[in-house]
Amino acid sequence: MTSPVLCPVRFEDGALRLLDQTRLPAEERWLSCRSAEEVADAIRRLAVRGAPAIGVAAAYGLALAMSSAAGDETPLERFERAAALLAATRPTAVNLGWAIDRAREAAVAHAADEPAAVASALIEVADAIVAEQRESDLRVAELGAELLEPGDRVLTHCNTGALATGGAGTAGGVIAAAWEAGRLAQVWVDETRPLLQGSRLTAWELTRAGIPFRIVTDASVGALMARGLVDRVVVGADRIAGNGDVANKIGTYTVAVLAARHGVPFYVAAPVSTIDRDAPSGDAIVIEERDADEVTHIGERPIAPAGAPAANFAFDVTPAELVAAIVTEAGVLRPPYRDSIARALTG
Ligand code: MRU
C-alpha cells in the first residue's frame, strides 16, 4: 500500500522478526529467527513470502549466520554455507539470489574482520535493500496508477502488497495508489489456490486499507471477463526474463490468456531487481514444485482421498506477448521488451 500498513520483516534486538503469513488472517503472530536455519525454514514454509520480502529475509539471515557458533570456519566459509542453504529454499524468486549476491560483496569486503563486524556490514546491506525496495515500490505505485482510469475494476492474483515487499507493494501498491487517486472502483481478488494468498493475505491488506474488493475463485476469471466486469489486470512477478516473459504465482498465465481473449490490458508491476539478467527467456526460469499436500489439504484438513497423487507447481510463465506493460521504478516498459528491459537495466 502506498504508505506501508505494516512491515512484515523487521530486524530487532539481534533477531529477525517475521509476521507469520501462514497464520493470517486468523492470527497476527510474530516469529523470532536467530539463525540462518530458522530464516530458511520460515522462507520454505512461506511464513515470509513474496519475492522482494524473501530477498530481504535472506539478507538478514546471512547476518544472523555470522553470530552462530561455527567451529573453525572462517566468516566467508560460514557465509557461503548459509548462502547455499538460503538460496535453495525457493528457486523461482530471483530477488533471493540477487540479495544474497549483494550481501556476498559486503562479506568479501569484510572477509578479514571479526564475525561481529561482518554481521554489522550484512545488516547494513539488508537495511539498504529494505530502503531501496520502499523507494522503488512508491515509484512503481505512482507510475502504475497512471495506467488506470477512474471507475476501473482491477483483477489481481496472489499477494503483492506490504506483506510481499515490506514497502507499499508492487501490484498491491499500484492498486492502493490508484484508489487514492480516484482511479479504481473495485478489486477482484483471485483466491489463489492452493495456499490462498489472495483470499487470506490480499483480502486482509485491502480490508485494512479500506479498498473495496470481492474475492473470486481462480476459475471465475473467464466468466468475469466474458461479462465485461474486469477493466485491467495488475499482477506482480517472481522473475522476469530478458525478453519480457514473466514468472509469477501459478494461475497468472491463465489470467493473461483470458485477458488477451477479452481485450483486457494485462500489467505486471515489479522492481528492476526482479529482472533476471541471466535468463534470456522464460524457458530458463526454474519453476518451484512444492509438496503435494498443499493441493490435497487445506491446512491440516484433507480435501482429496488419502494418498491421492497431486502436482503442485508454485509458479507459471506468462509469455511476453500477453503483457501490455511492465511497471518498474525505472519506468513503464513496453514491447519490444528486449529493448526496453535492456534500457531499464543499464539506465
Ligand atoms: O509463493 P509466493 O506467495 O511467495 O508467491 C508470490 C507471488 O507470486 C507474487 O506475485 C510475487 O512474489 C510478487 S510480490 C511483490
Side-chain angles (χ1 to χ4, degrees):
M1 309 292 134
T2 45
S3 45
V5 285
L6 79 154
C7 181
V9 183
R10 299 177 187 160
F11 198 78
E12 285 168 356
D13 304 326
L16 180 62
R17 307 254 298 140
L18 299 173
L19 179 58
D20 186 348
Q21 298 188 34
T22 66
R23 304 259 177 183
L24 289 173
E27 210 184 336
E28 293 179 28
R29 184 190 288 198
W30 288 83
L31 302 170
S32 275
C33 301
R34 295 191 178 273
S35 68
E37 287 72 18
E38 285 176 4
V39 175
D41 181 57
I43 295 174
R44 222 178 279 118
R45 49 183 202 87
L46 272 54
V48 57
R49 43 140 306 280
I54 292 169
V56 168
Y60 286 118
L62 289 166
L64 289 169
M66 292 300 133
S67 37
S68 43
D72 47 12
E73 271 179 325
T74 66
L76 261 192
E77 286 166 345
R78 198 185 298 187
F79 176 93
E80 288 303 344
R81 195 159 53 86
L85 174 77
L86 288 158
T89 51
R90 300 206 65 195
T92 306
V94 74
N95 305 62
L96 178 58
W98 172 85
I100 291 172
D101 287 345
R102 274 189 65 170
R104 181 175 289 110
E105 282 171 26
V108 169
H110 290 265
D113 296 354
E114 289 298 311
V118 186
S120 301
L122 294 177
I123 290 169
E124 270 177 38
V125 171
D127 289 348
I129 293 175
V130 172
E132 288 164 26
Q133 183 66 42
R134 288 191 179 150
E135 282 281 306
S136 86
D137 278 9
L138 290 176
R139 185 73 184 132
V140 166
E142 183 182 35
L143 290 173
E146 286 169 12
L147 299 175
L148 273 58
E149 284 174 17
D152 270 357
R153 296 150 303 173
V154 170
L155 185 134
T156 193
H157 193 72
C158 198
N159 171 263
T160 58
L163 289 170
T165 72
T170 56
V174 170
I175 286 168
W179 172 249
E180 282 167 22
R183 290 167 178 262
L184 177 76
Q186 189 218 295
V187 186
W188 293 110
V189 175
D190 275 3
E191 63 176 350
T192 317
R193 276 282 292 152
L195 294 179
L196 306 174
Q197 287 92 332
S199 56
R200 290 190 305 108
L201 307 178
T202 301
W204 184 78
E205 288 182 337
L206 292 173
T207 302
R208 288 169 62 112
I211 299 175
F213 69 90
R214 284 170 83 183
I215 299 167
V216 286
T217 57
D218 297 348
S220 302
V221 175
L224 286 180
M225 289 183 180
R227 289 171 169 223
L229 297 175
V230 181
D231 301 299
R232 328 244 160 200
V233 174
V234 188
V235 297
D238 279 77
R239 194 179 289 249
I240 299 173
N243 68 343
D245 291 349
V246 174
N248 193 48
K249 178 54 55 192
I250 191 79
T252 304
Y253 173 46
T254 319
V255 174
V257 170
L258 287 164
R261 169 75 175 82
H262 294 283
V264 174
F266 178 95
Y267 300 131
V268 172
V272 170
S273 58
T274 300
I275 300 171
D276 183 352
R277 294 164 190 264
D278 299 325
S281 77
D283 292 344
I285 298 177
V286 176
I287 299 296
E288 175 183 1
E289 284 187 57
R290 296 181 60 84
D291 203 320
D293 282 4
E294 292 178 348
V295 175
T296 57
H297 290 65
I298 292 197
E300 301 287 298
R301 192 164 58 85
I303 54 166
N312 188 7
F313 298 101
F315 300 96
D316 58 25
V317 176
T318 297
E321 68 193 75
L322 300 180
V323 180
I326 301 175
V327 187
T328 73
E329 72 276 24
V332 177
L333 314 185
R334 299 276 187 182
Y337 288 114
R338 273 201 198 289
D339 299 340
S340 53
I341 286 179
R343 278 196 302 275
L345 286 174
T346 49

